[in-house]
């Protein structure tokens, strides 16, 4: 019989998952010492409970985890002290810029240009420009890198719009339909699959705004003489989807305003 308690072991696994998510392979200047202290406290609590129940294997596992986290905490605190407030700020903002670049790779690299999410890319450009403004007074080369990528992505926005207007009406309609499908996929993954308390209203609003713009462009093609049956069917379906999104936006706002902070936090971490 294995000398282990399932509930306590699950708590240790949860701590390790949090550590892997927030600390593994991350620059130490960007790591949160308070979160590490919370993990250490939780692991020590598990070790104490395991000792009281006589589960020696869990005690040993918890002690090893606690020692690892404590060692990491010492290294993080030393790095933060050495860098000072300025170095810490630079590290945090540089990490945000890096996350934006990873986001670009995940959502845009290798994707057909007409189908790319203009609203998302516009938000990313604004975020990078904001980071550039914060980094610029510090005189860091990271500020120039952030600005360079922001300018490059602004050019990409222009290329996306140009690609949607290329070709005959049939080709333009296909490009717009592909872009609308990208928004539908984002909605399905980030909104439909989540509780209303966990949905970001800003995201839902952005999706609705971008879909409205695409529907307007598709309507313009129809007014200009495009009479394909599937184009009319797509327009009808997207009009309905857009109306549903506007209604859902109001319900999300209402649900989040009426929920307690504890309920909202629980929904976000579920």
């Amino acid at each position: 019989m294995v000398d282990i308690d399932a509930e306590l072991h699950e708590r240790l696994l949860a701590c390790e998952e949090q550590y892997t998510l927030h600390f593994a392979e991350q620059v130490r200047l960007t790591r949160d010492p308070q979160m590490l202290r919370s993990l250490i406290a939780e692991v020590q609590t598990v070790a104490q409970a395991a000792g009281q129940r006589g589960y020696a294997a869990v005690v040993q596992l918890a002690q090893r985890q606690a020692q690892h986290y404590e060692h990491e905490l010492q290294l993080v605190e030393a790095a933060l002290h050495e860098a000072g407030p300025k170095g810490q700020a630079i590290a945090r903002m540089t990490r945000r810029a890096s996350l934006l670049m990873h986001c670009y790779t995940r959502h845009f690299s290798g994707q057909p240009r007409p189908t790319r999410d203009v609203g998302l890319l516009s938000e990313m450009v604004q975020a990078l420009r904001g980071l550039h403004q914060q980094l610029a007074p510090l005189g860091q080369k990271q500020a120039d890198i952030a600005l360079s990528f922001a300018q490059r992505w602004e050019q990409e926005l222009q290329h996306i719009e140009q690609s949607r207007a290329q070709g005959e009406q049939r080709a333009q309609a296909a490009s717009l339909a592909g872009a609308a499908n990208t928004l539908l996929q984002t909605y399905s993954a980030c909104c439909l699959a989540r509780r209303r308390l966990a949905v970001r209203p800003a995201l839902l609003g952005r999706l609705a705004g971008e879909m409205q713009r695409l529907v307007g462009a598709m309507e313009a093609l129809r007014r200009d003489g495009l009479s394909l049956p599937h184009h009319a069917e797509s327009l009808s379906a997207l009009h309905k989807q857009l109306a549903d999104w506007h209604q859902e936006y109001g319900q999300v706002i209402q649900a989040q305003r009426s929920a307690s902070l504890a309920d909202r936090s629980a929904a976000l971490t579920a």
Side-chain angles (χ1 to χ4, degrees), residues 112-118 159-185 207 209-224 226 228 230-232 234-235 238 245:
R113 182 167 273 161
T115 68
R116 297 179 180 182
D117 187 341
V118 169
H159 293 323
I160 293 171
E161 297 292 358
Q162 291 169 358
S163 69
R164 293 177 180 176
Q166 290 177 349
E168 299 180 353
Q169 286 184 329
R170 288 173 178 263
Q172 294 177 32
S175 294
L176 294 171
N181 188 56
T182 297
L183 299 181
L184 292 171
Q185 290 175 352
L207 291 174
E210 182 63 15
M211 184 65 82
Q212 182 70 64
R213 202 168 67 87
L214 293 174
V215 167
M218 294 173 74
E219 287 283 10
L221 287 176
R222 184 166 65 174
R223 289 194 300 270
D224 289 342
L226 184 64
L228 296 174
H230 63 80
H231 184 72
S234 295
L235 260 177
L238 291 178
W245 285 2

Side-chain angles (χ1 to χ4, degrees), residues 106-112 114-117 120 174-194 203-204 206-208 210-211 214 238 241 245:
R106 184 170 67 252
H107 289 283
F108 299 103
S109 293
Q111 300 300 319
T115 68
R116 297 179 180 182
D117 187 341
L120 174 60
S175 294
L176 294 171
N181 188 56
T182 297
L183 299 181
L184 292 171
Q185 290 175 352
T186 301
Y187 176 79
S188 178
C190 300
C191 301
L192 190 62
R194 299 185 180 184
L203 170 61
L204 185 51
R206 176 180 68 74
L207 291 174
E210 182 63 15
M211 184 65 82
L214 293 174
L238 291 178
Q241 185 69 70
W245 285 2

Side-chain angles (χ1 to χ4, degrees), residues 211-212 237-249:
M211 184 65 82
Q212 182 70 64
L238 291 178
H239 273 298
K240 182 180 183 304
Q241 185 69 70
L242 191 55
D244 290 344
W245 285 2
H246 285 304
Q247 182 179 7
E248 180 64 16
Y249 179 83

Side-chain angles (χ1 to χ4, degrees), residues 13 26 36-37 51 58 68-69 72-73 80 88 93 96 98 104 114 129 142 178 196 200 211 260:
L13 287 177
Q26 304 296 329
L36 264 177
R37 295 188 189 97
V58 180
H68 176 61
Y69 297 164
E72 182 59 31
L73 178 60
L80 292 172
Q88 294 173 33
M93 287 183 279
R96 291 176 196 165
S98 178
Y104 181 91
R129 284 199 168 275
Q142 288 88 344
R196 286 185 176 130
R200 289 196 297 120
M211 184 65 82
S260 67

Side-chain angles (χ1 to χ4, degrees), residues 113 121 153-163:
R113 182 167 273 161
L121 188 53
W153 292 353
E154 285 172 336
Q155 292 177 351
E156 176 60 22
L157 284 170
Q158 296 176 4
H159 293 323
I160 293 171
E161 297 292 358
Q162 291 169 358
S163 69

